[in-house]
């Protein structure tokens, strides 16, 4: 469900026409719908009913301060993977006590800062990391709350670059090893193991990998309990997919129901956290771009637009497919185009084989770009990164101004002689 729609042949974000935004802010530009993102967050939250739970929005999907601030106002917690994301959350008014720190490579500085501000939990991924956290917590004179991230060896059935729960992936700890680590952690003076965590991948379109992984997590929890080791909470990660073109992933409430039923079947009522990123922001955002040229091609034409792979990397990196719509519905017979950017690589495409009725100067919207869009953008080809706008009813707010060309070389110096 999203709040982007046509009104009289013109594409709108909530009650604001995208032509108006392009006129005010320029292109390329990311446009997010506040109503859509808030709705998605609330659906996850409501689906848990009275089961104790926390929604930890995955900051990596879209870390704009305004996005984090709005979610924080709804009561969201946050899943972070770097010191930079931690500072973003704090800057946006998020509470450290609602932050969970994931990731395989936390540095000493990142762990120290997380302990100083008092994050809710560090999800650990190795014995070496346990040793590091214990030592740094000792230096600070605090006890670090930690969870062990299990690698359940479950195939999420998604693109290999975003699968994380298979044994060959760098993430998590195999359950057998994790049991030894749990015992080790119990003897660490400055660490308290409070939970078990798991995240098997992103853009999952089936429920069964989630429930299989959860079953493995529960096997692990019960094995610990048999040894007299207690677990206070489960963090089941993110990963729920969204419809980009023709995918039909489970709805958030069906996903939550499946998790709760799996737990109920095994008589487990532990508090649960989930870490959705894409399912909250993906379809709450689009990339607005203008056609610079139409160019004939061998098989079909190219619509050369002013956005490129540096603005939206997903098609080039994961062969991801995004829907493209005309901002003003054309009247000419549609023709088939590859929508490409100005970057000097043949991998610079935003969409392929799209039937569009367009001419130079028209606006296009690349849909489902609210997650892993701006956050993965770069300055490749010395292209300033786009502006970001949040639409709220009939208002639109620039929440990040377009980068200037001068900013691109702000941090560079010449060699003196
Ligand atoms: N929790 C952990 C530990 C994660 O690693 C991730 C995503 C999430 C939560 C959120 O997953 P989500 O609900 O958004 O699927 N750049 C890729 C996606 C990378 C996902 C990495 N981890 C893309 O554009 O498809």
């Amino acid at each position: 469900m999203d709040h982007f729609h046509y009104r009289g042949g013109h594409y709108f974000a909530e009650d604001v026409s995208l032509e108006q935004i392009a006129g005010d802010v320029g292109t390329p530009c990311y446009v997010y719908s506040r109503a859509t993102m808030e709705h998605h967050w609330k659906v996850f939250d409501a689906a848990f009913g009275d089961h104790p739970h926390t929604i930890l929005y995955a900051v990596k999907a879209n870390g704009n301060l305004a996005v984090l601030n709005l979610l924080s106002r709804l009561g969201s917690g946050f899943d972070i993977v770097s010191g930079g994301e931690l500072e973003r959350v704090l800057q946006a008014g998020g509470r450290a006590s609602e932050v969970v720190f994931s990731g395989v490579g936390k540095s000493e500085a990142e762990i120290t800062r997380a302990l100083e501000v008092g994050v809710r939990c560090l999800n650990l991924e190795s014995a070496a990391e346990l040793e590091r956290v214990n030592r740094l917590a000792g230096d600070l004179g605090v006890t670090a709350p930690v969870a062990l991230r299990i690698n359940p060896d479950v195939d999420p059935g998604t693109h290999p670059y975003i699968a994380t729960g298979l044994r060959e992936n760098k993430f998590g700890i195999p359950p057998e090893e994790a049991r030894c680590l749990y015992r080790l952690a119990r003897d660490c003076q400055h660490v308290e193991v409070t939970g078990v965590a798991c995240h098997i991948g992103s853009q999952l379109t089936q429920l069964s990998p989630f429930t299989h992984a959860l079953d493995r997590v529960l096997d692990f929890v019960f094995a610990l309990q048999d040894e007299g080791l207690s677990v206070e909470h489960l963090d089941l990660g993110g990963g729920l997919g969204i419809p980009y073109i023709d995918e039909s992933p489970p709805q958030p409430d069906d996903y939550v129901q499946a998790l709760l039923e799996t737990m109920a079947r095994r008589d487990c009522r532990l508090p649960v956290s989930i870490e959705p990123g894409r399912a909250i922001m993906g379809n709450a955002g689009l990339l607005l771009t203008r056609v610079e040229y139409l160019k004939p091609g061998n098989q079909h034409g190219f619509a050369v637009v002013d956005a490129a792979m540096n603005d939206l990397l997903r098609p080039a990196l994961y062969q991801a497919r995004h829907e493209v719509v005309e901002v003003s519905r054309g009247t000419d017979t549609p023709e088939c185009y590859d929508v490409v950017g100005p970057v000097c690589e043949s991998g610079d495409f935003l969409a392929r084989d799209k039937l569009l009725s367009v001419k130079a100067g028209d606006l296009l919207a690349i849909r489902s770009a609210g997650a892993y869009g701006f956050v993965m953008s770069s300055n490749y080809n010395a292209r300033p990164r786009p502006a970001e706008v949040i639409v709220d009813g009939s208002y639109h707010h620039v929440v990040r101004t377009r980068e200037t060309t001068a900013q691109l070389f702000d941090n560079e110096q010449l060699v003196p002689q």
Side-chain angles (χ1 to χ4, degrees):
M1 200 285 293
D2 66 61
H3 290 265
F4 298 105
H5 48 254
Y6 280 103
R7 270 188 205 165
H10 299 275
Y11 207 48
F12 274 67
E14 303 191 17
D15 295 327
V16 182
S17 92
L18 289 168
E19 279 140 348
Q20 188 191 336
I21 295 176
D24 286 357
V25 181
T27 53
C29 147
Y30 277 97
V31 180
Y32 312 124
S33 151
R34 176 178 182 178
T36 309
M37 57 183 263
E38 292 190 341
H39 171 74
H40 291 159
W41 190 93
K42 287 177 186 166
V43 170
F44 277 111
D45 188 48
F48 278 97
D50 61 0
H51 190 102
H53 67 278
T54 321
I55 311 296
L56 302 167
Y57 166 68
V59 174
K60 63 174 79 66
N62 184 327
N64 183 285
L65 293 188
V67 168
L68 301 182
N69 174 260
L70 289 173
L71 293 176
S72 167
R73 287 196 239 166
L74 294 182
S76 192
F78 298 96
D79 162 57
I80 60 159
V81 288
S82 72
E85 287 189 351
L86 175 56
E87 299 309 329
R88 278 193 170 275
V89 170
L90 298 177
Q91 185 70 27
R95 291 164 298 275
S97 58
E98 297 296 330
V99 168
V100 170
F101 197 166
S102 312
V104 288
K106 303 176 196 77
S107 71
E108 296 212 346
E110 287 175 324
I111 293 167
T112 300
R113 176 73 176 145
L115 293 173
E116 277 169 356
V117 299
V119 298
R120 166 179 153 145
C121 194
L122 292 128
N123 290 353
L124 303 187
E125 306 232 8
S126 64
E129 194 187 1
L130 170 64
E131 188 280 321
R132 181 179 273 190
V133 170
N134 187 47
R135 175 169 50 79
L136 294 172
D139 291 348
L140 289 174
V142 298
T143 302
V146 303
L148 296 190
R149 176 169 171 183
I150 304 299
N151 179 324
D153 195 23
V154 168
D155 185 355
T158 182
H159 189 282
Y161 290 2
I162 53 176
T164 54
L166 284 165
R167 195 167 274 264
E168 64 260 31
N169 299 136
K170 68 179 174 182
F171 298 98
I173 309 161
E176 325 73 72
E177 247 175 73
R179 270 171 81 172
C180 303
L181 209 59
Y182 222 93
R183 285 182 218 119
L184 214 67
R186 190 184 40 183
D187 301 330
C188 286
Q189 220 186 323
H190 309 291
V191 157
E192 189 193 357
V193 192
T194 57
V196 175
C198 180
H199 168 80
I200 57 171
S202 196
Q203 184 54 15
L204 274 72
T205 52
Q206 303 288 327
L207 285 177
S208 54
F210 287 116
T211 52
H212 284 154
L214 175 53
D215 264 320
R216 304 247 163 107
V217 167
L218 293 175
D219 291 344
F220 177 71
V221 168
F222 292 134
L224 291 178
Q225 286 175 352
D226 287 347
E227 284 188 51
L229 299 168
S230 73
V231 173
E232 291 164 26
H233 64 90
L234 302 181
D235 178 346
L236 301 178
L240 183 63
I242 60 167
Y244 281 95
I245 306 253
D246 48 10
E247 303 87 341
S248 44
Q251 292 296 313
D253 38 4
D254 293 334
Y255 154 80
V256 170
Q257 273 320 306
L259 298 179
L260 292 180
E261 278 165 22
T262 306
M263 290 177 65
R265 194 165 29 81
R266 308 208 34 194
D267 231 2
C268 173
R269 245 196 95 76
L270 284 172
V272 176
S273 320
I274 54 168
E275 304 171 350
R278 189 191 313 265
I280 290 177
M281 283 310 294
N283 276 324
L286 53 76
L287 176 59
L288 186 57
T289 182
R290 198 177 286 280
V291 178
E292 296 279 6
Y293 305 98
L294 293 182
K295 180 176 171 176
N298 195 11
Q299 275 151 12
H300 47 66
F302 296 104
V304 184
V305 298
D306 62 4
M309 66 187 289
N310 74 293
D311 303 304
L312 179 64
L313 185 59
R314 303 194 69 259
L317 190 59
Y318 313 112
Q319 297 78 48
R321 296 176 314 146
H322 287 252
E323 197 60 83
V324 180
V325 299
E326 299 133 5
V327 167
S328 180
R329 271 199 176 127
T331 44
D332 299 339
T333 317
E335 286 183 37
C336 189
Y337 293 99
D338 281 1
V339 180
V340 301
V343 162
C344 298
E345 299 213 19
S346 294
D348 177 27
F349 56 89
L350 298 174
R352 287 186 150 150
D353 298 331
K354 293 288 178 193
L355 274 178
L356 296 167
S357 169
V358 275
K359 51 188 188 321
D362 284 357
L363 293 167
L364 294 176
I366 319 288
R367 282 180 43 86
S368 314
Y372 307 110
F374 184 89
V375 283
M376 293 178 73
S377 65
S378 77
N379 295 122
Y380 187 41
N381 278 202
R383 291 171 50 82
R385 282 174 297 170
E388 292 175 284
V389 171
I390 291 188
V391 172
D392 182 8
S394 53
Y395 295 94
H396 64 284
H397 308 278
V398 176
V399 293
R400 183 182 168 111
T401 44
R402 184 178 309 287
E403 216 165 20
T404 63
T405 306
Q407 284 173 319
L408 298 186
F409 29 82
D410 249 2
N411 296 337
E412 298 177 31
Q413 292 91 30
L414 302 185
V415 175
Q417 2 193 292

